[in-house]
Amino acid sequence: MWRKVTSTSFSSLKSSLFFTRLHLQQASKHNAASASAVSRFATIAPLQEKDGRCPFITFVLGGPGSGKGTQCIKIVETFGFKHLSAGDLLRREMVSNSEYGSMILNTIKEGRIVPSEVTVKLILKEMESSDNHKFLIDGFPRSEENRIAFEKISGAEPDVVLFFDCPEDEMVKRVLSRNQGRIDDNIDTIKKRLKVFEALNLPVIDYYAKKGKVHRINAVGTVDEIFEQVKPVFKACEQKAFNRS
Ligand SMILES: Nc1ncnc2c1ncn2[C@@H]1O[C@H](COP(=O)(O)OP(=O)(O)O)[C@@H](O)[C@H]1O
Ligand SMILES: Nc1ccn([C@H]2C[C@H](O)[C@@H](COP(=O)(O)OP(=O)(O)O)O2)c(=O)n1
Ligand SMILES: [Mg+2]
């Protein structure tokens, strides 16, 4: 069964003093960084209603290889969401002659996070050009800087946050056998990505858990078993998402 998590109820959240200090230091750096990212976005309008409906936003979070993309495909089939993968949008931008191409390539290869101004712009552009009003935003926000930039620029918060909680050894095994030719699916990059996930992404999950928005999914099992945990989350808010005005 799925359940909402509290800030202390999932195993992988680190609450030691060391991590608390680290997060506080990172938070002040992120606030400064996101303030400058936001100021460079002055020309981007907040999300607007479409056909009288506000967007219904789900953030899909979890470590690399935890099964976010795989489950998103099933959610789209069953519940009719528009799937926006932050990683896919960045990879598309990387090969599109963009001024950011080499920066994105190097950042992904090193397992780090692309500056929020780039990623938020790509996500909002896709949201604005979509006919759908129900969005799965996969692999975003990956840091407090991402989160703060998105919320400030879009003027929106997620309705639901899914967290695919998966042990590291399982994530490593899945990434190394993913076979999609990705530059970051190698053991060196995956080790760095796991550290970045723990240091930067877990605080985002913690933030939304405190707001009661996180649904923790045990990401170990078959794809169908995992989807059985995901389904009730969306069944419970189907009416809200449909009627959103
Ligand atoms: N429940 C599962 N059990 C085993 N392998 C899985 C499962 N879910 C996804 N995979 C596989 O693991 C790899 C990573 O899954 P993916 O959906 O790309 O994860 P993420 O988007 O979180 O990185 C893919 O090769 C996928 O086919
Ligand atoms: N919000 C994001 C999402 C992805 N990225 C970059 C850094 C990530 O390691 C890569 C790949 O992301 P992606 O979501 O496709 O990766 P996984 O599906 O979790 O394996 O893209 C980012 O910089 N910021
Ligand atoms: Mg993915």
Side-chain angles (χ1 to χ4, degrees):
M1 284 293 289
W2 64 273
R3 67 191 166 93
K4 285 194 171 192
V5 288
T6 64
S7 59
T8 52
S9 64
F10 44 85
S11 58
S12 45
L13 275 188
K14 299 283 195 290
S15 57
S16 70
L17 194 56
F18 170 77
F19 276 93
T20 309
R21 279 206 195 111
L22 184 66
H23 294 161
L24 285 174
Q25 285 163 6
Q26 281 161 351
S28 67
K29 274 192 218 150
H30 289 150
N31 284 341
S34 62
S36 82
V38 170
S39 69
R40 282 195 291 268
F41 260 110
T43 54
I44 300 211
L47 284 170
Q48 304 291 324
E49 286 182 12
K50 258 193 216 131
D51 304 328
R53 288 169 169 178
C54 297
F56 184 95
I57 298 172
T58 301
F59 285 156
V60 182
L61 303 180
S66 58
K68 302 180 294 297
T70 304
Q71 293 296 322
C72 280
I73 292 169
K74 296 187 75 73
I75 299 166
V76 167
E77 283 166 6
T78 309
F79 296 102
F81 278 68
K82 169 80 179 169
H83 177 205
L84 299 178
S85 156
D88 286 349
L89 293 175
L90 288 167
R91 284 184 284 272
R92 197 172 78 188
E93 182 74 4
M94 189 172 86
V95 295
S96 73
N97 262 340
S98 145
E99 59 177 307
Y100 303 122
S102 58
M103 179 276 288
I104 295 173
L105 172 74
N106 290 328
T107 308
I108 289 182
K109 206 158 65 180
E110 287 162 21
R112 293 185 287 108
I113 308 294
V114 172
S116 300
E117 61 183 291
V118 175
T119 317
V120 173
K121 191 172 174 181
L122 294 173
I123 292 170
L124 290 183
K125 207 169 115 202
E126 291 295 307
M127 290 177 82
E128 270 148 25
S129 63
S130 173
D131 290 338
N132 208 327
H133 77 293
K134 298 191 293 181
F135 298 97
L136 289 176
I137 306 186
D138 164 8
F140 182 96
R142 265 192 155 92
S143 64
E144 281 287 275
E145 192 219 16
N146 270 183
R147 179 186 70 73
I148 293 163
F150 180 88
E151 290 189 351
K152 285 203 174 139
I153 294 159
S154 71
E157 276 200 22
D159 296 276
V160 170
V161 178
L162 284 185
F163 168 39
F164 290 96
D165 195 1
C166 195
E168 286 198 357
D169 55 350
E170 179 67 20
M171 292 196 271
V172 172
K173 201 171 78 189
R174 289 184 192 175
V175 166
L176 293 180
S177 52
R178 179 152 50 187
N179 236 351
Q180 290 176 354
R182 280 174 48 171
I183 45 165
D184 51 347
D185 284 353
N186 60 75
I187 191 65
D188 290 340
T189 310
I190 181 78
K191 279 185 190 158
K192 291 179 193 158
R193 296 182 66 202
L194 287 169
K195 282 195 183 128
V196 167
F197 171 70
E198 186 167 282
L200 301 189
N201 209 338
L202 286 181
V204 176
I205 296 164
D206 198 15
Y207 173 86
Y208 286 125
K210 285 183 181 130
K211 294 192 137 201
K213 293 192 174 191
V214 173
H215 298 270
R216 175 193 169 272
I217 306 293
N218 172 9
V220 181
T222 66
V223 170
D224 286 341
E225 280 166 357
I226 294 162
F227 190 56
E228 284 306 308
Q229 300 174 67
V230 170
K231 271 198 285 194
V233 177
F234 291 99
K235 283 202 173 132
C237 58
E238 214 164 12
Q239 211 52 38
K240 183 180 166 199
F242 183 78
N243 290 330
R244 179 54 79 81
S245 62

